[in-house]
């Protein structure tokens, strides 16, 4: 099997995901992705678009403006050769990383010399859940077998089982904000970040991430109300059970769920796009390109779907096994901060040094543009490896329905 190399990558800033208010909210998601595609080829020294065989993009809410095969339309919007094809993938929050992995698999299998993986989500224009399918496609037959609960309930369930307190999750959230503030002040994101422009006028719309709050304090976080307390009390089951009762039915060892997650220790709703150029060693050599990193291993794993968010650990273990590595061999970890309890649980499960995790902040501070996040995390990890001279990084995300995904990269 051939090796797949990351040749270049670029991402937009993450704009607030509020209709008409965020810095990217005026840009159609196809156009947002088109700018990421073009910036990536520009950074790669002007690689001709006709050399790209396929563009694989993660998009979670594939409806309305994000429907109609956004990947192909983004290729056309970018002005690329019409020979270039595009396809979309939805693995919920893992979609962007899965798209990169699929692009890499085409290279590894010898079916392509050059491909793009990435993702986009315009949450200000296409709201989360806009497809109306919920977590289970509104299938009553499936619900009779297993009734999945909203992710916020799952996050609080994990915290209750693991014994993570409100102070624990707020402390992690503050760390995310502080790390992101340092990263922004030191320009650590600038290598991959580019300014998004109005497609019609060329005016710069957004140059930096909008979501971070460098002035966050523990006192301020402590004042926020639990985000999922009312949801936990809502009737959702086939017999009128509340969301909390459904979760406790699966985990009867608990007497109650402690609702510790708030808007301050959960991921932010934002817009964003990212593109990652993946190529073979032969293509890189023939075109004078220096690979930035190679993809060592990729993996997915499933977990119990009510607790839902614990699969990053087994997915990471599978990827480590494929690479012949152990957790301690990884220099940097990017564990998506969908909720503070997710990286906390993964760190505990794999006995990871916390100082190696999300060193530049995560989705709590920077936001989580669903379909793009996995590709953005990989790009952030790669930039940090190069900045610090370190060798390996593992990127992992929890995924709705009880799944996890992981990718290991090694700097060239």
């Amino acid at each position: 099997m051939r090796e797949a190399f990351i040749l270049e990558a670029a991402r937009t800033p993450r704009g607030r995901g509020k209709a008409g208010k965020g810095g990217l909210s005026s840009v159609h998601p196809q156009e947002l992705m088109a700018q990421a595609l073009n910036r990536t080829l520009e950074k790669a020294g002007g690689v001709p678009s006709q050399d790209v065989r396929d563009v694989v993009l993660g998009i979670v809410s594939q409806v309305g403006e994000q429907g109609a095969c956004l990947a192909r339309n983004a290729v056309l919007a970018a002005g690329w050769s019409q020979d270039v094809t595009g396809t979309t993938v939805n693995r919920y929050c893992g979609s962007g990383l899965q798209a990169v992995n699929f692009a890499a698999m085409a290279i590894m299998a010898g079916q392509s010399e050059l491909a793009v993986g990435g993702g986009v989500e315009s949450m200000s224009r296409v709201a989360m859940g806009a497809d109306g399918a919920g977590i289970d496609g509104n299938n009553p037959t499936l619900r009779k077998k297993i009734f999945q609960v909203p992710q916020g309930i799952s996050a609080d369930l994990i915290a209750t089982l693991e014994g993570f307190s409100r102070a624990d999750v707020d402390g992690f959230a503050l760390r995310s904000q502080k790390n992101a503030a340092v990263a922004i002040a030191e320009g650590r994101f600038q290598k991959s970040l580019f300014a998004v422009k109005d497609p019609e006028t060329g005016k710069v719309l957004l140059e930096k991430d909008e979501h971070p709050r460098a002035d966050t304090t523990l006192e301020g976080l402590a004042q926020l109300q639990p985000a999922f307390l009312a949801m936990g009390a809502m009737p959702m089951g086939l017999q009128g059970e509340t969301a909390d009762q459904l979760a406790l039915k699966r985990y009867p060892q608990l007497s109650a769920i402690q609702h510790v997650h708030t808007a301050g220790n959960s991921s932010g709703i934002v817009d964003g796009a990212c593109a990652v150029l993946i190529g073979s060693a032969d293509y890189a050599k023939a075109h004078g390109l220096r690979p930035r990193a190679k993809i060592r291993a990729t993996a997915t794993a499933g977990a119990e779907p009510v607790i839902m968010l614990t699969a990053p650990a087994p997915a990471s273990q599978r990827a480590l096994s494929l690479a012949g590595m152990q957790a301690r061999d990884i220099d940097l970890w990017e564990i998506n901060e969908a909720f503070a309890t997710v990286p906390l649980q993964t760190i505990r499960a794999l006995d990871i040094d916390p100082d190696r995790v999300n060193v530049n902040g995560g989705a709590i501070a920077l936001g989580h543009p669903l379909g793009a996040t996995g590709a953005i995390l990989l790009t952030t990890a790669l930039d940090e490896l190069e900045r610090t001279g370190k060798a390996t990084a593992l990127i992992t995300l929890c995924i709705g329905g009880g799944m996890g995904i992981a990718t290991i990269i090694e700097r060239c």
Side-chain angles (χ1 to χ4, degrees):
M1 185 172 64
R2 299 194 308 177
E3 292 182 316
F5 292 90
I6 301 170
L7 303 180
E8 199 46 85
R11 74 162 178 94
T12 70
R14 279 163 278 199
R16 288 192 301 270
K18 296 183 178 180
K21 297 181 179 180
L24 302 179
S25 62
S26 65
V27 185
H28 194 290
Q30 293 175 9
E31 300 294 337
L32 196 62
M33 191 67 227
Q35 293 189 37
L37 292 173
N38 281 331
R39 177 57 181 155
T40 301
L41 292 195
E42 178 185 332
K43 287 182 66 183
V47 168
S49 66
Q50 60 264 30
D51 286 1
V52 178
R53 286 294 169 262
D54 201 11
V55 174
V56 187
L57 298 182
I59 302 112
V60 174
S61 296
Q62 296 190 26
V63 64
E65 292 182 345
Q66 292 184 167
C69 192
L70 191 153
R72 172 58 173 172
N73 285 322
V75 165
L76 298 177
W80 283 19
S81 168
Q82 294 183 12
D83 289 342
V84 182
T85 56
T87 190
T88 60
V89 59
N90 180 6
R91 200 188 285 278
Y92 296 133
C93 297
S95 299
L97 191 59
Q98 185 63 72
V100 172
N101 292 351
F102 279 156
M105 289 175 192
I107 306 300
M108 293 173 178
Q111 300 301 299
S112 178
E113 297 297 324
L114 195 67
V116 169
V120 62
E121 203 82 25
S122 183
M123 301 180 77
S124 65
R125 298 173 70 96
V126 183
M128 184 165 50
D131 61 3
I135 197 70
D136 61 4
N138 301 314
N139 179 358
T141 303
L142 175 59
R143 288 179 183 176
K144 291 176 182 177
K145 300 175 182 177
I146 184 162
F147 201 111
Q148 300 172 63
V149 297
Q151 287 192 10
I153 304 300
S154 298
D156 285 338
L157 173 62
I158 295 169
T160 305
L161 286 166
E162 294 282 347
F164 296 137
S165 67
R166 174 66 183 269
D168 292 330
V169 292
D170 279 353
F172 189 89
L174 180 64
R175 176 184 182 271
S176 181
Q177 294 284 359
K178 296 297 185 184
N179 284 358
V182 170
I184 291 168
E186 295 184 356
R188 296 183 189 180
F189 298 138
Q190 293 306 116
K191 188 168 187 177
S192 295
L193 194 64
F194 69 91
V196 173
K197 298 180 180 179
D198 185 297
E200 300 292 336
T201 68
K203 177 184 176 181
V204 172
L205 298 174
L206 190 64
E207 296 180 287
K208 62 181 182 179
D209 296 307
E210 278 189 307
H211 192 266
R213 298 188 60 174
D215 60 350
T216 299
T217 64
L218 281 177
E219 293 76 16
L221 289 169
Q223 293 175 11
L224 298 175
Q225 296 300 308
F228 308 106
L229 180 62
M231 182 182 290
M234 291 176 59
M236 292 186 179
L238 297 174
Q239 306 300 323
E241 305 98 324
T242 67
D244 277 2
Q245 287 172 340
L246 290 166
L248 293 171
K249 185 177 181 179
R250 180 61 181 81
Y251 292 89
Q253 66 268 41
L254 300 176
S255 60
I257 293 177
Q258 303 303 312
H259 292 284
V260 299
H261 286 91
T262 69
N265 55 44
S266 304
S267 56
I269 295 173
V270 295
D271 303 335
C274 182
V276 181
L277 185 66
I278 310 290
S280 68
D282 289 343
Y283 184 91
K285 182 177 180 181
H287 294 82
L289 300 174
R290 181 181 177 183
R292 296 178 62 188
K294 66 178 177 181
I295 295 179
R296 287 282 303 270
T298 72
T300 57
E304 194 280 301
V306 173
I307 203 166
M308 195 182 303
L309 309 174
T310 58
S316 297
Q317 288 173 323
R318 286 183 178 178
L320 289 166
S321 178
L322 287 169
M325 303 173 73
Q326 297 183 20
R328 63 174 178 268
D329 299 324
I330 299 297
D331 295 317
L332 295 172
W333 291 76
E334 286 290 337
I335 306 172
N336 189 38
E337 297 172 0
F339 305 92
T341 195
V342 174
L344 286 173
Q345 189 272 336
T346 307
I347 288 168
R348 176 178 287 178
L350 298 178
D351 192 23
I352 303 168
D353 178 356
D355 289 338
R356 300 186 181 193
V357 176
N358 299 1
V359 297
N360 292 320
I364 291 173
L366 295 157
H368 178 18
L370 304 178
T373 301
I376 291 175
L377 294 184
L378 182 143
T379 300
T380 299
L382 175 56
D383 288 348
E384 185 64 11
L385 287 178
E386 292 176 340
R387 187 186 75 85
T388 59
K390 295 179 179 177
T392 59
L394 190 151
I395 302 93
T396 184
L397 300 92
C398 62
I399 302 172
M403 296 185 285
I405 187 168
T407 301
I408 298 173
I409 63 173
E410 182 177 355
R411 185 171 61 89
C412 292

